[in-house]
Amino acid sequence: MYSTAAAGAASSPPRRDFISVTLSPEGLGTGGYNNSKAWRRRSCWRKWKQLSRLQRSIILFLCAALALCGVISYSSLGEPWKGLANKSLDDQRTEADIPGLKLANPAVLPAPQKANGNLGDSPELSPQKPPKLPHGRRGPPSLQLKPPRRNVRLKTQYDTSKVVEEPVQAEREENPGKPVISWRGAVIEPDQSPEPPSSKMKEAEKPSSVEAEEQKEPVPINERQLAVIEAFRHAWRGYKDFAWGHDELKPLSKSYSEWFGLGLTLVDALDTLWILGLKEEFEEARRWVATDLVFDKNVDVNLFESTIRILGGLLSTYHLSGDSLFLEKAKDIGNRLMPAFKTPSKIPYSDVNIGRGTAHPPRWTSDSTVAEVTSIQLEFRELSRLTGDEKFQRAVEEVMRQVHSLSGKNDGLVPMFINTNSGQFTHLGVYTLGARADSYYEYLLKQWIQGGKKENELLEDYMRAIEGVKKHLLQRSQPKKLTFVGELAHGHFSAKMDHLVCFLPGTLALGAHNGLTADHMKLAEALIETCYQMYAQVETGLSPEIVHFNLHAQKGHKDVEIKPADRHNLLRPETVESLFYMYRFTGDKKYQDWGWEILQSFNKYTRVPTGGYTSINNVQNPSNPEPRDKMESFFLGETLKYLFLLFSDDVDLINLDKFVFNTEAHPLPIWVPA
Ligand code: DMJ
């Protein structure tokens, strides 16, 4: 059967084509080569005319089909190439201008930031979408349970061994434009450069062997990760059986406690479910969020806690799953928290009634806690980026702007309280990296990373604070000479260290990974050893809430002393969090082994047979650790998540050049500078 076009072409002799050939320069006899080319064309034409109509039609049809395929593939390639062009422009703009600062890693998402790098300058915002996920994908993918591979380990900037899997890298270079889907459903974008990766990247910037290898096959879950999944399932079972939809499980009394009445444990655990690949549990939790998570409630919530756990949890789950339900819920709670900022100073109140839209400080004071008002920025800034609504970002950056220039700091160290009327620090003269100040330091660095390393005041404050820590708070214990971070009260040093301070080695390592001075990595290594000893030197292998270090050697005394009031353990994450960073950045297996010991101790002393884990009152009594009957939401949101990540050799399992964890272990994307 002929198509109309083909039939028409066949019925009238294609004279015009013939004429155009004879009038071409070749046809005018301008040289041997041209003459022979013209001759070949005439001969082709004769052959063409000798073909039957059917033969000519088939050939024409095939040519048309080929041309059509060409057009389609050109248009589908066009978009990625547009992206490549934009990306290379972005890359040129990521350089920060701090002298001596080496910038190691590119950011990954478009940021609405202006490039002037100062606090308080609200960027122009436009709504942003989460990274692309495989079509129609919802919920975590199935786990790949395979025996652990040998000879594959993390290769990092601190790693001196050279484990490079060349064939994998070669394949990556052969298919530079092909996105790869990792086992957890995230799309790993190829190197977005118009040049082949091998010619563009310097040696130090090349993807690690594990990262490259992952493009070929999923990284299998290993035995230790399986043990974490088992622990998580056990905890989840308790929560599901006795506390479903409530804030916290009371595993011994098989009941629950409420704090905000917002299903805190469930929301805090959403992204852990995703990362651990617990698909069914994730779907079930998602259904609860869809139908039962309602913020229109006459309830007082703590601004900081609900931001880091609920808003942070919803935002990161949105990014991992691509499910807009979580963004809608995040917007809702974000809007309801905004009344907290309506204070005379714009330093937010600690508490908000999310149903009534009113806010207030605690009953006994008009102060807020410094860590609380300065550790909500990652979440509110991200909410602005996603929604295009600047108000969230403006509110939290105003806090940072004020704190940046306040007096009362001591070499970058901040007091613990700030007044919501005056906007000034109160209770001056006491400095700690523990409770009430801790995450101020963490968020200085992390905001700087989130924003594409351009906001120089954040970095300056961070660098100054770490110098302050070194100058005023660092000491060494006896007999093991452990480096620890103490406290300063009106000029008097106290050898007291909260377990909370153990976030610091991880943060220091993250800074070093992002190009800050190698000193920070050295300090991180010393401090994580101390944090580990806070577990290892205790009878149950679990750290107490607070330790006091011995500054003078005494016969029969360890480095760590524990006071009766401080010997509880709340299943906190800070040490395993730092172990995770240290392993990611050094590849040193001892950090995994230390984390493994800690998991064993949690299992031995805090696991409740009927489901769930409990905080305990006495880490020094293995025969009776005195269970407290409470499982904090951060055990699922943070502790088990960091343990799972610590045991993984997959640097793309929450790639630290693409995500920054909030202080509740919820990963948020790093922005690409605009
Ligand atoms: C968590 O809510 C967060 O990590 C916070 O920054 C500190 N306290 C708990 C965990 O210990």
Side-chain angles (χ1 to χ4, degrees):
M1 196 171 75
Y2 301 114
S3 74
T4 319
S11 59
S12 55
R15 274 213 169 267
R16 274 170 296 157
D17 292 349
F18 177 74
I19 289 164
S20 73
V21 170
T22 51
L23 288 180
S24 72
E26 294 92 328
L28 295 173
T30 52
Y33 170 73
N34 285 340
N35 281 340
S36 111
K37 207 169 165 186
W39 180 85
R40 277 201 309 275
R41 284 187 185 172
R42 275 197 299 275
S43 152
C44 284
W45 177 243
R46 263 185 231 115
K47 280 188 183 137
W48 171 256
K49 289 200 69 181
Q50 284 161 6
L51 295 174
S52 72
R53 270 189 193 175
L54 175 62
Q55 287 169 319
R56 278 188 254 169
S57 302
I58 290 171
I59 291 170
L60 285 171
F61 176 75
L62 286 174
C63 290
L66 276 173
L68 190 64
C69 288
V71 169
I72 290 169
S73 58
Y74 175 80
S75 62
S76 66
L77 283 172
E79 281 310 306
W81 279 103
K82 269 188 236 162
L84 297 185
N86 294 341
K87 173 74 167 52
S88 82
L89 279 177
D90 288 341
D91 284 347
Q92 291 166 20
R93 289 190 287 250
T94 54
E95 299 295 317
D97 50 5
I98 304 281
L101 174 66
K102 181 182 138 279
L103 295 184
N105 302 297
V108 290
L109 284 184
Q113 295 285 95
K114 285 182 199 152
N116 57 14
N118 289 322
L119 292 172
D121 292 335
S122 292
E124 286 157 17
L125 297 169
S126 58
Q128 303 286 320
K129 289 185 176 157
K132 274 189 194 156
L133 290 162
H135 292 298
R137 196 108 185 215
R138 286 287 179 274
S142 310
L143 294 173
Q144 306 281 322
L145 300 177
K146 291 185 188 169
R149 284 167 303 169
R150 297 210 169 81
N151 302 327
V152 177
R153 60 185 293 253
L154 289 163
K155 181 177 173 293
T156 70
Q157 64 188 97
Y158 299 98
D159 197 350
T160 46
S161 66
K162 300 270 180 244
V163 183
V164 179
E165 302 195 359
E166 294 301 347
V168 177
Q169 181 62 22
E171 183 181 280
R172 186 190 175 110
E173 289 176 12
E174 272 168 27
N175 298 299
K178 197 175 151 201
V180 178
I181 298 164
S182 77
W183 66 269
R184 72 201 65 84
V187 175
I188 303 163
E189 291 297 340
D191 175 55
Q192 295 187 340
S193 157
E195 291 173 50
S198 56
S199 62
K200 192 201 130 219
M201 293 159 106
K202 281 178 259 145
E203 192 56 38
E205 291 167 342
K206 282 190 180 178
S208 74
S209 55
V210 173
E211 187 180 12
E213 186 182 65
E214 192 191 56
Q215 297 186 38
K216 257 178 101 181
E217 58 172 290
V219 174
I221 301 288
N222 59 45
E223 295 298 324
R224 287 178 175 183
Q225 286 179 292
L226 282 175
V228 179
I229 291 173
E230 192 282 324
F232 186 96
R233 280 204 157 117
H234 182 80
W236 191 251
R237 195 175 315 126
Y239 178 72
K240 197 178 156 189
D241 288 350
F242 311 121
W244 186 251
H246 298 284
D247 283 343
E248 288 147 338
L249 169 67
K250 294 177 77 177
L252 294 177
S253 49
K254 299 185 182 151
S255 64
Y256 57 84
S257 57
E258 295 291 29
W259 188 6
F260 309 142
L262 297 173
L264 201 59
T265 295
L266 188 150
V267 179
D268 217 359
L270 284 167
D271 57 4
T272 311
L273 287 166
W274 179 276
I275 290 166
L276 268 55
L278 299 176
K279 190 178 171 71
E280 267 174 42
E281 290 87 342
F282 181 84
E283 292 297 347
E284 197 175 3
R286 186 210 180 270
R287 279 196 293 279
W288 185 86
V289 171
T291 55
D292 294 300
L293 182 58
V294 177
F295 296 124
D296 189 9
K297 277 187 173 175
N298 179 10
V299 60
D300 275 359
V301 302
N302 174 282
L303 171 68
F304 164 73
E305 298 290 357
S306 54
T307 298
I308 64 168
R309 301 186 198 212
I310 299 175
L311 178 56
L314 291 168
L315 288 173
S316 71
T317 307
Y318 167 63
H319 278 293
L320 296 176
S321 69
D323 186 337
S324 60
L325 166 72
F326 300 108
L327 179 57
E328 289 312 311
K329 294 288 178 187
K331 276 190 233 172
D332 190 6
I333 185 71
N335 275 306
R336 289 171 185 278
L337 292 174
M338 288 306 284
F341 296 90
K342 284 188 195 150
T343 68
S345 65
K346 298 189 180 161
I347 300 297
Y349 290 131
S350 59
D351 296 280
V352 193
N353 187 304
I354 53 174
R356 290 193 182 149
T358 54
H360 58 87
R363 244 175 248 133
W364 59 94
T365 174
S366 55
D367 288 351
S368 285
T369 299
V370 170
E372 292 194 356
V373 301
T374 56
S375 311
I376 49 180
Q377 279 66 16
L378 291 177
E379 300 82 356
F380 277 90
R381 280 157 48 117
E382 177 60 9
L383 188 58
S384 276
R385 197 183 67 84
L386 288 169
T387 59
D389 188 342
E390 293 180 25
K391 72 174 179 230
F392 306 111
Q393 179 155 5
R394 262 204 240 114
V396 293
E397 287 189 345
E398 170 63 17
V399 179
M400 294 312 293
R401 196 189 61 73
Q402 291 192 38
V403 170
H404 172 71
S405 43
L406 278 185
S407 57
K409 289 184 199 160
N410 186 3
D411 289 318
L413 303 176
V414 290
M416 296 186 291
F417 297 99
I418 186 165
N419 190 272
T420 51
N421 292 321
S422 67
Q424 300 297 312
F425 288 132
T426 63
H427 301 79
L428 301 182
V430 181
Y431 304 99
T432 172
L433 261 79
R436 300 204 162 94
D438 49 357
S439 43
Y440 160 73
Y441 304 100
E442 178 187 351
Y443 268 36
L444 287 175
L445 179 77
K446 288 184 172 177
Q447 286 177 81
W448 177 71
I449 292 171
Q450 177 191 44
K453 306 182 194 175
K454 292 183 311 187
E455 295 152 290
N456 297 337
E457 288 178 356
L458 293 167
L459 179 59
E460 284 161 17
D461 287 352
Y462 176 74
M463 297 298 280
R464 200 167 293 135
I466 300 304
E467 289 311 304
V469 169
K470 287 188 203 164
K471 186 169 167 190
H472 300 289
L473 304 183
L474 228 48
Q475 275 283 5
R476 299 183 94 188
S477 67
Q478 294 293 345
K480 285 200 165 179
K481 302 197 174 1
L482 301 174
T483 302
F484 69 93
V485 181
E487 298 184 354
L488 196 65
H490 310 291
H492 294 291
F493 180 79
S494 156
K496 162 180 178 273
M497 179 165 151
D498 293 353
H499 182 271
L500 287 169
V501 181
C502 289
F503 81 93
L504 187 60
T507 298
L508 288 166
L510 181 66
H513 174 72
N514 278 280
L516 306 186
T517 164
D519 279 11
H520 287 200
M521 195 63 191
K522 284 253 163 301
L523 182 54
E525 281 167 358
L527 287 173
I528 191 62
E529 166 81 40
T530 306
C531 290
Y532 167 64
Q533 291 298 331
M534 285 164 63
Y535 287 70
Q537 293 196 11
V538 179
E539 288 79 349
T540 56
L542 290 172
S543 169
E545 179 73 357
I546 298 169
V547 297
H548 288 77
F549 287 94
N550 281 317
L551 291 174
H552 308 287
Q554 279 173 282
K555 215 174 166 204
H557 282 245
K558 297 180 191 165
D559 297 71
V560 168
E561 297 281 348
I562 304 167
K563 302 203 166 170
D566 305 331
R567 60 189 183 196
H568 49 289
N569 179 297
L570 304 183
L571 312 171
R572 285 196 190 275
E574 290 76 19
T575 295
V576 293
E577 168 186 354
S578 285
L579 288 171
F580 156 65
Y581 285 104
M582 295 306 292
Y583 180 65
R584 264 292 165 96
F585 297 141
T586 66
D588 188 336
K589 296 268 182 206
K590 81 176 174 202
Y591 298 123
Q592 288 186 324
D593 295 342
W594 291 353
W596 182 242
E597 283 175 31
I598 292 172
L599 177 62
Q600 305 305 306
S601 299
F602 277 134
N603 275 330
K604 198 162 175 192
Y605 296 107
T606 70
R607 187 172 162 119
V608 179
T610 46
Y613 287 72
T614 177
S615 42
I616 54 174
N617 267 330
N618 190 351
V619 293
Q620 292 180 296
N621 188 350
S623 57
N624 181 15
E626 298 169 33
R628 275 193 165 192
D629 195 18
K630 181 160 168 164
M631 184 173 78
E632 300 277 351
S633 80
F634 50 69
F635 185 62
L636 301 190
E638 297 195 71
T639 310
L640 292 178
K641 184 190 290 157
Y642 281 129
L643 280 166
F644 185 78
L645 294 172
L646 164 65
F647 298 143
S648 170
D649 279 323
D650 180 359
V651 295
D652 269 321
L653 183 51
I654 312 300
N655 186 320
L656 291 174
D657 297 328
K658 296 181 179 176
F659 290 95
V660 60
F661 283 94
N662 85 342
T663 191
E664 188 75 7
H666 298 303
L668 300 173
I670 293 171
W671 309 340
V672 166

